[in-house]
Every structure is written in C-alpha cells, then in structure tokens.
C-alpha cells in the first residue's frame, strides 16, 4: 500500500453533528405535524407511526394482515425472485462472457429485455399468472436478472488476457480455462451483482405489490393511501427501507468474508 | 516520441520476424467451413431472433396462453393503429412526449440539486456530517414506495409524478457524485501540491474533472430508475404517458397494446440513455468505458 493509514482524531463537532442533524430531522417532522403546518391526512408524526407499528404487530385491521403476515409474504416473494434471478442470471452471464455461441444466441434476447423496466411487465404478468405469488416473483426476477447477467458477463470479459494465453500455452481446454480462470476472476463482479440485484429486487417488489396484491408490505402502503392513513403509508415505507438496508448489510458482510482472500 | 513511433512502424513493414509470418499464415488459412458459419456470432444473433419470433408466434397461435398472448404480427398491426388513432385525446407521439417530458423535468431538477450537494458533501466534512445521516435514512427506501405518499400530498396530477421521479433520481445522482470524489486517486492531489497549487486548484482541477465519469455513471443509473418511477406512477394513476397505454391495454384485455407499449418504452428508454451517453462523450472524452470490451 502506497499510503499508510494515519489515524486522525475526529473533531468533536464532527461526531456530534450527525446525531444533532438526525434528531433535528425527527423533531421538525414531529413538530410540523403537531402544529398542523400540514394537514393530518397528509403526514403522520413519527410517534403516530410508532403507535401504529405497535398496533399492527397484533391487529390485522384495517388492511387485513398483521405486520408479520405482510412482512412474511413480501420476504417470500423477494427471496424466491432473488434466488431465481441469481440462479439463471449468473450462469447465463458467465457463459455469455466466455462462449461465443451462448453469446450469439442469448445476447439479442437479453438486449431486447434489458431496456424494459420490470414494472412495465406487470399487466402481462397479471394476464399470465394472475395476482398470486408467482406473478410477483416473475417481476422481481426480471428486475434482478439484468444486473446479474451484466455484472457476471463483464467480470468474465475482464479476465486478464495474459493469463488466458498462458493457460492455452500450457494446454488447458476451453472449459478448464472457463472454470479455473474466468469464473474465479469474475467473482468480485459477481458479488457486486448480488448487492445490485438485491436493491433492484426490493424496488420491484414494492412496485409489483402496489399494483397487484392482496398482502405484503407494498400492499400495506397502497391500503394506507386508499384509507387516507398516512401513518400506515409511512410505516410501510420505513419497514421496506429498514428491511432492505438489513439484507444489504448481511450480504455485504458475507461478501467481505468470502472475498477476503481476493484482491480487488 | 515521433521518431520512436516511426522506428516501430518501420520495424513492422521491413523486419518482420518469422513468428509474425507464421501467425499470419495461420490466420489466412482458416477455411470457410459450415461449422464456422454456424458458430459465427452475428449468424447466431439472427437465428436466435428468428427462433424467438417463431416460438412466440406459434405459442400465441396454438392457444396455449388462451388469448393472453398475441402474435408478433398483431403487435405490428397495433403499432399501425396507434400511429393513426388517438388514445384519451393524444396520439402515440403525445403519450411518448408526456412521459419523456416528466422524466426530463424530474431528471433535471434532481440532478441540479443532487450533484452539487454530493460534491459539497464529499469536499466539506461538516456538510457531510449534517446531510449524510439524514440521507442515509432515505436511501434504502425504494422510490416506488413514495408513490402513495406523493399522491396523498400532490394528488394524482403532474406534480406527484415529477416528485417521484425526483426521488428516484436523487439518490443515485448524489451517491455517485459523492463517491466519485471520495474515490479519486490521492496521488492526483499530490501533483497539484507539488506544483504549488492550493485547495481551490485541487478542487477545480482535480476533484471536478476526475469525478465526471462517476457522475455520468450515476446519471445513467438515475435515468433507468426514472423510467421505472414514471411507469409506476403512470400505472397507478394517469391519463397520459406510456404507462397509461399499457394500463389501457390491460383494462380492455388487449395484449397487443400492452406488448406494443412495452416495445415503445424499451425504444424510448434506450434512446434517452444514448442521449446521456452522447453527452458524456462530449463532456469527458478522456473516459474509456468497459463497454468496448
């Protein structure tokens, strides 16, 4: 390393400022609602959101499901869609990177699907799968598969050509080069894809549930709007955000563990 | 320098080594076999497209989807109808314009605020300490989750759609501007210091230009996020735009309209991303992407 890490002590203001700013944010939010700067039908105070959360833990009213039920449905959809997109996207991208035949066949189809936002598939999905679990899984899959393919494809294409030539010289077959050289050297990009795909899946989960659902966190948000209960909307948004951040953190830790031996 | 280049070129034309000749011979010798034609990438591209259209056509014609899928030809005919007929008082061009206009307004608004803010945050630790924690609260929320609150706040008119696009584009714009500056190679600053520059020079001559590629990468991400947002907003509630075409197709169970709408969206989204790419080439010509790998 060219630069040695130098520990600089942070000034006290820099430690305090973030805490102050978050506190001010919540305080202003609370006060805005408290003093009716905006109508109560448009925004709920943080304390109301907290109350609603405690209610929702046990009470399925007014939207027909407890917090746990909604979260479980959403998690199921997101997990299935995510796994599907990894299971199909990563191998496809890796193969497309190395084998020109796969690239020739799959590329035009992929380029056809890529620019269409997954949300645009919702009407077709409703025609095909109805509004059940698999329709949403399909949309989430479409959202996650694109970054998976792109990242693993680029990862393979970025393999050091010198190493490929050396393997050829030493008599490695195409398949051996692929499994022993290209795939390992694409791993950092593949793990990047895990994160990006997760974010895409999570966004599309909300999109899919906004339009076609009868349970799930996104559905809770929609019901909050229909019933004009802003605290329900905000609660849904916060729980989606929190869950997304948590899963992201888990993946990041796993990634760091697994890749600790690979230089990036 | 020029002499050196000449010397190398001279070497190439006159003193070719035997190895070069052998290599050339091998290259020229490859015969044009059927196997080579079949495994040619462009040939395979065409084959896969035709196969895709054929499978689509027969899947639709066989009735396996029981009317939930139309043939490619019906989509083409639908295109012709959309070109001439009006839908909710607007022609197809009107709907395309409605969507792109929303995207354009939201995109410009968000990038005008987010990019300077991101740069500021990366350059000034105090701004960073104040804005970052609040930004981190909003960051993980999917922009689509904001649709409901946008409708509660602004109704179902234009402002709510633009608000969602702003939200969706804000996060990637800011993040990339921020990381673009933070990930600059510190050796570049050393050059300025060695040349006797001040912090102002560092910021103007290193930070800004070096963060350009990252900012443009952020703009590309924002753009695709903006398309997702505008579609979601139009699907939920609207009377115009490309999302409206799809919803209309869904309501009257006309798959050719839905698929036609999706294809138009793909084309327009692709064109807008080309626009941003062109802008990037214009503004930072030194950047070489991994696109040509």
């Amino acid at each position: 390393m060219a630069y040695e890490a130098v520990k600089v002590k942070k000034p006290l203001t820099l430690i305090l400022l973030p805490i102050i700013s978050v506190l001010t944010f919540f305080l202003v939010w609370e006060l805005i609602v408290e003093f009716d700067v905006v109508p109560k039908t448009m925004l709920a105070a943080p304390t109301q959101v907290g109350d609603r959360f405690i209610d929702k833990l046990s009470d399925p009213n007014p939207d027909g499901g407890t917090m746990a039920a909604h979260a479980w449905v959403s998690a199921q959809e997101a997990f299935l869609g995510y796994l599907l997109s990894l299971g199909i996207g990563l191998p496809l991208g890796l193969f497309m990177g190395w084998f020109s035949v796969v690239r020739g066949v799959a590329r035009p189809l992929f380029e056809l699907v890529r620019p269409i936002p997954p949300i645009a598939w919702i009407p077709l999905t409703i025609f095909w799968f109805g509004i059940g679990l698999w329709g949403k899984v399909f949309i989430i899959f479409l959202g996650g598969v694109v970054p998976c393919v792109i990242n693993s494809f680029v990862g393979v294409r970025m393999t050091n050509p010198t190493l490929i030539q050396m393997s050829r010289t030493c008599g490695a077959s195409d398949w051996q080069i692929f499994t022993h050289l290209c795939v390992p050297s694409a791993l950092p990009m593949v793990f990047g894809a895990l994160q990006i795909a997760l974010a895409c899946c999570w966004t599309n989960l909300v999109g899919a549930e906004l339009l076609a659902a009868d349970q799930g966190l996104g559905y809770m948000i929609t019901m909050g709007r229909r019933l004009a209960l802003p605290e329900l909307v905000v609660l849904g948004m916060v729980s989606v955000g929190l869950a997304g951040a948590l899963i992201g953190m888990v993946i990041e830790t796993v990634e760091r563990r697994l890749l600790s031996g690979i230089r990036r | 320098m020029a002499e050196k280049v000449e010397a190398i070129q001279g070497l190439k034309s006159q003193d070719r080594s035997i190895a070069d000749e052998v290599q050339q011979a091998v290259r020229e010798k490859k015969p044009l076999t059927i196997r080579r034609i079949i495994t040619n990438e462009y040939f395979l591209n065409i084959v896969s497209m035709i196969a895709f259209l054929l499978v689509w056509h027969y899947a639709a014609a066989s009735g396996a989807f029981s009317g939930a899928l139309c043939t490619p030809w019906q989509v083409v005919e639908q295109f012709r109808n959309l070109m001439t007929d009006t839908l909710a008082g607007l022609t197809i061009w009107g709907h395309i314009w409605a969507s792109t206009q929303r995207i354009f307004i939201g995109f410009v608004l968000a990038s005008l605020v987010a990019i300077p803010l991101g740069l500021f945050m990366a350059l000034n630790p105090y701004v960073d300490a104040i804005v970052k924690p609040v930004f981190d609260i909003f960051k993980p929320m999917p922009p689509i989750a904001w649709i409901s609150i946008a409708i509660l706040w602004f109704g179902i008119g234009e402002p709510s759609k633009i608000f969602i696009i702003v939200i969706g584009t804000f996060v990637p714009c800011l993040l990339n501007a921020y990381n673009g500056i933070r990930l600059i190679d510190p050796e570049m600053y050393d050059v300025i210091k060695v040349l006797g520059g001040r912090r102002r020079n560092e910021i103007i001559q290193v930070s800004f230009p070096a963060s350009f590629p990252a900012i443009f990468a952020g703009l590309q991400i924002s753009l695709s996020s903006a398309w997702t947002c505008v579609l979601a907003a139009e699907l939920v509630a609207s009377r115009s735009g490309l999302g409206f075409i799809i919803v209309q197709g869904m309501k009257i169970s006309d798959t050719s309209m839905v698929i036609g709408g999706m294809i138009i969206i793909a084309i327009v989204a692709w064109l807008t991303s080309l626009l941003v790419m062109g802008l990037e080439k214009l503004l930072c010509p030194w950047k070489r992407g991994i696109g040509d790998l």
Side-chain angles (χ1 to χ4, degrees):
Chain A
M1 225 158 90
Y3 288 82
E4 230 173 273
V6 182
K7 278 255 160 78
V8 184
K9 217 180 161 210
K10 262 192 180 175
L12 192 64
T13 34
L14 280 188
I15 302 172
L16 284 180
L17 269 178
I19 303 168
I20 295 172
S21 104
V22 170
L23 285 182
T24 340
F25 171 72
F26 280 107
L27 200 70
V28 168
W29 178 6
E30 178 81 43
L31 288 180
I32 280 181
V33 181
E34 204 61 39
F35 291 110
D36 285 325
V37 183
V38 293
K40 284 232 163 48
T41 50
M42 285 169 92
L43 190 64
T47 44
Q48 284 173 297
V49 177
D51 286 347
R52 174 62 74 173
F53 173 66
I54 294 166
D55 275 1
K56 283 304 292 177
L57 283 179
S58 54
D59 181 17
N61 286 323
D63 50 296
T66 57
M67 198 73 200
H70 285 314
W72 169 241
V73 170
S74 288
Q76 227 176 344
E77 291 159 3
F79 187 69
L80 281 174
Y82 186 53
L83 276 191
L84 255 181
S85 67
L86 293 187
I88 294 177
L90 293 181
L92 182 65
L94 293 172
F95 280 121
M96 271 168 74
W98 183 241
F99 298 104
S100 68
V101 174
V102 181
R103 186 158 63 238
V105 172
R107 188 125 192 208
L109 301 181
F110 178 67
E111 294 293 336
L112 203 70
V113 172
R114 185 164 77 146
I116 303 176
I119 301 278
W121 285 88
I122 289 177
L124 271 191
T125 321
I126 294 175
F127 283 147
W128 293 346
F129 299 94
I131 61 165
L133 172 75
W134 289 103
K136 271 158 271 175
V137 170
F138 180 64
I139 299 215
I140 294 162
F141 159 74
L142 282 173
V145 80
V146 170
C148 282
V149 171
I150 293 178
N151 265 40
S152 46
F153 176 76
V154 173
V156 170
R157 301 296 279 177
M158 272 168 39
T159 312
N160 188 345
T162 318
L163 296 180
I164 295 179
Q165 281 158 4
M166 197 207 76
S167 322
R168 283 243 166 81
T169 315
C170 294
S173 66
D174 260 10
W175 179 252
Q176 276 173 327
I177 297 177
F178 176 65
T179 50
H180 285 73
L181 178 60
C182 293
V183 172
S185 83
L187 270 188
M189 285 296 277
V190 168
F191 273 97
L194 295 191
Q195 285 272 6
I196 304 170
L198 182 79
C200 290
C201 286
W202 207 239
T203 306
N204 286 314
L205 167 87
V206 182
E209 285 185 351
L210 274 178
L211 290 157
D214 43 19
Q215 242 180 357
L217 292 172
Y219 175 71
M220 195 169 94
I221 299 177
T222 316
M223 284 315 285
R225 185 190 82 220
R226 293 216 181 117
L227 302 168
L229 289 173
E231 70 267 24
L232 205 59
V233 176
V234 176
L235 175 63
M237 286 166 66
V238 170
S239 41
V240 168
L242 267 184
L246 271 181
I247 307 171
M249 261 184 252
V250 170
I251 289 188
E252 211 183 317
T253 345
V254 172
E255 178 187 346
R256 212 175 295 145
R257 281 277 165 76
L258 287 178
L259 285 184
S260 55
I262 297 179
R263 244 185 321 142
R264 304 191 74 172
Chain B
M1 192 66 189
E3 287 158 18
K4 216 175 184 182
V5 172
E6 254 171 43
I8 293 169
Q9 279 170 347
L11 194 89
K12 260 193 181 161
S13 57
Q14 292 164 12
D15 316 54
R16 258 207 215 117
S17 81
I18 299 172
D20 287 341
E21 274 167 34
V22 170
Q23 237 176 17
Q24 212 168 33
V26 168
R27 216 170 272 157
E28 278 162 10
K29 241 185 191 171
K30 257 187 187 171
L32 192 73
T33 56
I34 295 176
R35 193 190 144 80
R36 273 198 67 212
I37 297 176
I38 290 178
T39 53
N40 181 289
E41 227 178 289
Y42 297 106
F43 176 75
L44 284 171
N45 283 350
I46 296 166
V47 169
S48 92
M49 276 319 290
I50 293 173
F52 170 71
L53 289 176
L54 279 179
V55 168
W56 177 5
H57 180 85
Y58 282 108
S62 73
F65 283 82
S66 59
L69 186 70
C70 61
T71 58
W73 183 244
Q74 283 171 319
V75 175
V76 176
E77 276 180 353
Q78 182 68 39
F79 267 131
R80 219 183 290 150
N81 287 343
L82 283 173
M83 291 286 178
T84 50
D85 297 353
T86 55
L87 203 65
L90 282 171
T91 58
I92 182 73
W93 304 110
H95 285 294
I96 292 178
W97 174 241
S99 286
T100 27
Q101 193 190 17
R102 285 170 191 148
I103 287 203
F104 186 72
I105 297 173
F107 194 64
V108 169
L109 275 180
S111 50
L112 280 184
V113 179
I115 293 175
L117 187 63
L119 296 178
F120 249 128
M121 279 164 65
L123 291 171
N124 187 326
Y126 292 96
V127 177
D128 190 26
I130 294 172
V131 182
K132 192 84 196 304
V134 178
F135 175 70
D136 280 339
I137 297 176
F138 286 103
K139 195 176 69 176
M141 282 181 203
I144 296 178
W146 285 84
I147 288 181
S148 291
I149 209 117
I151 291 175
L152 280 181
W153 286 352
F154 302 107
I156 59 167
E158 280 312 277
S160 70
K161 295 187 183 67
I162 289 168
F163 175 75
I164 294 162
I165 297 170
V166 169
I167 295 272
T169 47
F170 196 88
V171 171
C173 269
L174 191 146
L175 268 186
N176 271 51
Y178 181 75
N179 288 332
I181 286 201
R182 310 216 84 175
L183 298 180
I184 292 173
D185 193 348
E187 284 166 29
M188 303 232 250
Y189 290 117
D190 294 349
V191 175
I192 297 281
K193 272 186 202 136
V194 168
L195 294 174
R198 296 180 186 177
R199 177 148 174 81
R200 197 167 61 100
N201 301 79
E202 282 182 0
I203 291 173
I204 292 175
Q205 283 165 352
V206 172
S207 302
F208 285 165
S211 63
F212 259 27
I215 289 175
F216 270 101
L219 286 182
Q220 281 287 3
I221 302 170
S222 301
L223 194 67
S224 71
S225 158
W227 273 105
T228 306
C229 292
V230 81
L231 277 182
E234 286 172 355
L235 287 178
V236 172
S238 89
R239 296 290 301 157
S240 64
L242 293 168
F244 172 71
I245 293 185
I246 297 185
V247 174
Q248 204 59 21
M250 181 172 83
K251 278 188 189 144
I252 59 174
S253 303
D254 184 350
T255 28
S256 67
M257 203 160 170
V258 174
I259 295 177
M262 283 166 65
I263 294 175
I264 296 173
I265 290 165
I267 294 171
V268 180
W270 178 67
L271 285 179
T272 46
S273 84
L274 273 191
L275 203 74
V276 173
M277 236 192 278
L279 202 67
E280 175 179 11
K281 278 225 177 89
L282 204 73
L283 286 178
C284 45
W286 64 87
K287 195 209 157 196
R288 293 281 171 273
I290 45 177
D292 42 64
L293 266 169

